[in-house]
Amino acid sequence: MLRVAVVGSGPSGCYTAQSLVQQDSGVRVDVLDRLPCPYGLVRYGVAPDHEKIKSLQGSLRAVLEHDRIRFLGGVQAGPGGVPVARLGELYHAVVYCVGAAADRRLGIPGEDLPGSWSATQFVSWYSAHPDAVDAGFLRDARSAVVIGAGNVAVDVTRMLARGLAELSPTDMPQAALTTLAASRVSEIHMVGRRGPSQARFTTKELRELATLPQTGVTVDPADLTPDPGYADPSGLPTPRRRNVEVLRAWAEAPPGSAPRRIRLRFFLRPVELLAERGRVAAVRFERTAPDGHGGVTGTGRYEEIEAQLVLRSVGYRGVPLEGLPFDAATGTVPNASGRVLREGVAVPGTYVAGWIKRGPTGVIGTNRPCAKETAASLLEDAPALAGKSVPDDPLPALRAAGADPVAWEGWQSIERAEAELGASLGRAVVKLPDWPSLLRAARS
C-alpha cells in the first residue's frame, strides 16, 4: 500500500488525490490542509454570488469522501507545523498543492496608505477566511479604484456594487453583509494599464456588470481607441474579440442615470497613491500607449482619480516553503512534470501540482490536467518509493508533531453550524468567520 500526503485541499489537491486513487488501487491518500475547512479557493476565493462556480464544492466533496482518501484539516505543513522533512518520513510521497499565497505589489509610493488594500484581503474578508480581519475597508469611502483588469478585479468591483437584496441569499458572513449593504460607495473605477483587447477578464464576468440593479456602466471611447484591436477586432482571439465588442457597445450607449456607476478605464498606469489626512484620497495615473510589441509605454501625461478605497488586483505569487527549493524569479518550486528538482536533480518522493508548480495561470479546470501529470509522475516512481518504511497510519505521528487534525466529521459539524447560523439569521447557509467559531464547531 502506497501512502501519499497531498498538502492542500483546493482543486489542485483534490484532483491530484482523485487521479492517484483512480489510477492505482493500491494508493491511500491523506489530504492535509492548514484550515479546518476543505476546498481552498473554491470556498475562500470564488465570489459569494457565483453559485454555479461555488457548486464545484459538490464534486470536490465526492473526491474527499472516497474510501481511500482522508481529509485532515488544521494541519500546517512547514514552519509552525509539521516540518517538510517529517512529512517525508511519514509518507512514501508528498505532493504540495499550496497555491500562490502572496499578492503582487505595485511598487509605487503610497501603496501602503490606510485605505489601500490588496484585492485578496478584501475577498478574504467577504468570504469569511479565518485569517481575514475587518479592516474597515469601506470606512468613509464614496469613490473606489480597483487596479487591474482580470476576473478578480471584476469580482470585487461587482461586490462593491451589490446591495442587500442580492447579497442576503449568499453565504457571506453577516458582518460583511451588513457593511456592504450600508456602503456609500457610488463611483467605482476599474482601471487597466493596457488596452481593452489585452484585458484578462472573461466576457461572461464582464457582462455581469451591466446586470447589477441601480448601477450604470460607463466606458469612455477615448480609453478604447488607442488599442489597434479596438478599431478592427476581427483578428483577435475569440475571447478578446467578445470583450472588445461588449466594451464598444457600452461606449456607444447613452450614459443614462443610476445611483451608482462603474467606470471602466484603460491605458492608465498607477504611479502614486495620494494621501489626505493620513489616508488614501486619490490615485495618480500616467496615460500609456501601445508600444507596438504587445506592451505599453508611458506618455508623460497624468491624471488623478479620487478614491477613499483602493483595491489592488495585479496578480498572485507563490511563496517559499521551508524545506523545498524555490525559484524566486517565477514564484514556483522547480519541477519536471511535477517532480520537485533541487539543483536539477529530482527529490525522491516530493512533488508539486497547481499554481506552486506552474505559476498563477489558468482557471479552476486547468488544475485537472496539471494534477494528472503530477500523479502520473508519482505512480511511475512508485516501485522505488514503496520500499521506504513508513507508519501504517501517520495520524499518531502527526499528533505527536503538534498537529490536532480536524477529520471529515469535524468539517461536517462546521457545515451544520453554518446552516444553523443561517437559519437563525433568516438566511441560508452563513459562513463562520473566525478560527474560534470554526474550531468550536469542528470539536462539537
Side-chain angles (χ1 to χ4, degrees):
M1 181 68 68
L2 194 72
R3 286 205 167 271
V4 178
V6 171
V7 180
S9 66
S12 63
C14 287
Y15 293 150
T16 299
Q18 182 181 47
S19 293
L20 288 169
V21 297
Q22 284 179 342
Q23 295 180 49
D24 192 323
S25 60
V27 174
R28 287 191 175 273
V29 180
D30 283 348
V31 177
L32 315 178
D33 201 296
R34 77 175 187 89
L35 300 178
C37 309
Y39 312 139
L41 283 179
V42 175
R43 176 174 167 91
Y44 289 119
V46 175
D49 60 340
H50 272 181
E51 287 299 324
K52 185 174 181 181
I53 302 175
K54 287 175 71 67
S55 68
L56 178 62
Q57 291 184 20
S59 61
L60 300 184
R61 169 187 290 275
V63 172
L64 294 174
E65 289 181 334
H66 190 281
D67 60 2
R68 285 185 285 117
I69 296 176
R70 176 171 61 176
F71 172 73
L72 297 175
V75 179
Q76 171 78 42
V82 184
V84 165
R86 183 60 176 147
L87 281 177
E89 294 169 352
L90 299 178
Y91 294 90
H92 293 107
V94 183
V95 187
Y96 293 91
C97 306
V98 293
D103 295 281
R104 292 188 181 275
R105 291 180 58 83
L106 297 172
I108 61 175
E111 183 169 8
D112 294 318
L113 280 169
S116 167
W117 310 94
S118 74
T120 302
Q121 291 172 300
F122 188 60
V123 170
S124 293
W125 168 68
Y126 68 60
S127 297
H129 194 291
D131 290 341
V133 293
D134 184 350
F137 292 100
L138 303 180
R139 184 185 302 128
D140 300 323
R142 304 174 307 280
S143 177
V145 166
V146 178
I147 299 174
N151 279 344
V152 174
V154 175
D155 278 349
V156 298
T157 296
R158 192 180 66 256
M159 297 306 294
L160 285 170
R162 286 285 193 201
L164 179 64
E166 303 107 78
L167 294 176
S168 290
T170 73
D171 61 7
M172 178 181 289
Q174 187 67 24
L177 172 67
T178 302
T179 300
L180 284 167
S183 169
R184 295 190 299 140
V185 173
S186 58
E187 292 272 346
I188 308 163
H189 305 260
M190 192 176 82
V191 187
R193 65 184 178 88
R194 298 195 291 179
S197 70
Q198 296 170 310
R200 294 183 177 271
F201 42 66
T202 58
T203 308
K204 181 178 182 295
E205 294 259 358
L206 178 64
R207 283 178 174 148
E208 276 189 271
L209 297 179
T211 68
L212 301 174
Q214 297 188 307
T215 303
V217 180
T218 299
V219 184
D220 187 342
D223 279 354
L224 305 179
T225 51
D227 190 330
Y230 176 71
D232 180 14
S234 61
L236 295 173
T238 300
R240 296 187 181 187
R241 174 177 55 78
R242 288 175 177 162
N243 283 344
V244 169
E245 289 169 350
V246 170
L247 293 167
R248 180 194 295 275
W250 289 348
E252 293 173 351
S257 61
R260 190 183 296 110
R261 186 152 298 278
I262 295 171
R263 301 184 185 276
L264 301 181
R265 305 295 310 275
F266 298 93
F267 290 114
L268 290 173
R269 177 168 59 201
V271 294
E272 185 178 4
L273 272 59
L274 306 175
E276 184 177 294
R277 298 177 184 174
R279 291 183 60 84
V280 67
V283 185
R284 191 171 193 236
F285 291 93
E286 181 182 17
R287 171 66 63 180
T288 61
D291 63 5
H293 304 287
V296 292
T297 185
T299 65
R301 293 183 285 118
Y302 299 87
E303 69 173 86
E304 295 175 8
I305 299 178
E306 176 191 347
Q308 297 79 40
L309 170 65
V310 175
L311 297 174
R312 312 180 307 269
S313 180
V314 292
Y316 301 94
R317 181 174 179 78
V319 296
L321 181 61
E322 186 177 301
L324 293 182
F326 186 73
D327 183 342
T330 62
T332 61
V333 171
N335 70 93
S337 300
R339 295 180 178 92
V340 171
L341 302 178
R342 190 183 299 278
E343 297 180 355
V345 178
V347 180
T350 310
Y351 303 84
V352 285
W355 279 2
I356 199 64
K357 169 186 174 183
R358 68 180 192 276
T361 59
V363 294
I364 290 174
T366 312
N367 290 294
R368 193 179 290 277
C370 173
K372 284 184 176 179
E373 179 187 59
T374 295
S377 294
L378 191 158
L379 294 175
E380 186 179 313
D381 300 341
L385 300 173
K388 183 170 70 173
S389 177
V390 301
D392 289 335
D393 185 355
L395 191 52
L398 289 174
R399 290 195 173 111
D404 187 12
V406 174
W408 188 250
E409 293 76 16
W411 160 239
Q412 290 175 314
S413 294
I414 291 172
E415 288 185 303
R416 286 193 295 272
E418 292 184 335
E420 291 166 4
L421 175 60
S424 72
L425 295 168
R427 297 172 58 196
V429 171
V430 173
K431 287 181 183 174
L432 299 173
D434 54 68
W435 281 99
S437 60
L438 285 168
L439 293 178
R440 192 162 49 246
R443 308 303 181 199
S444 67

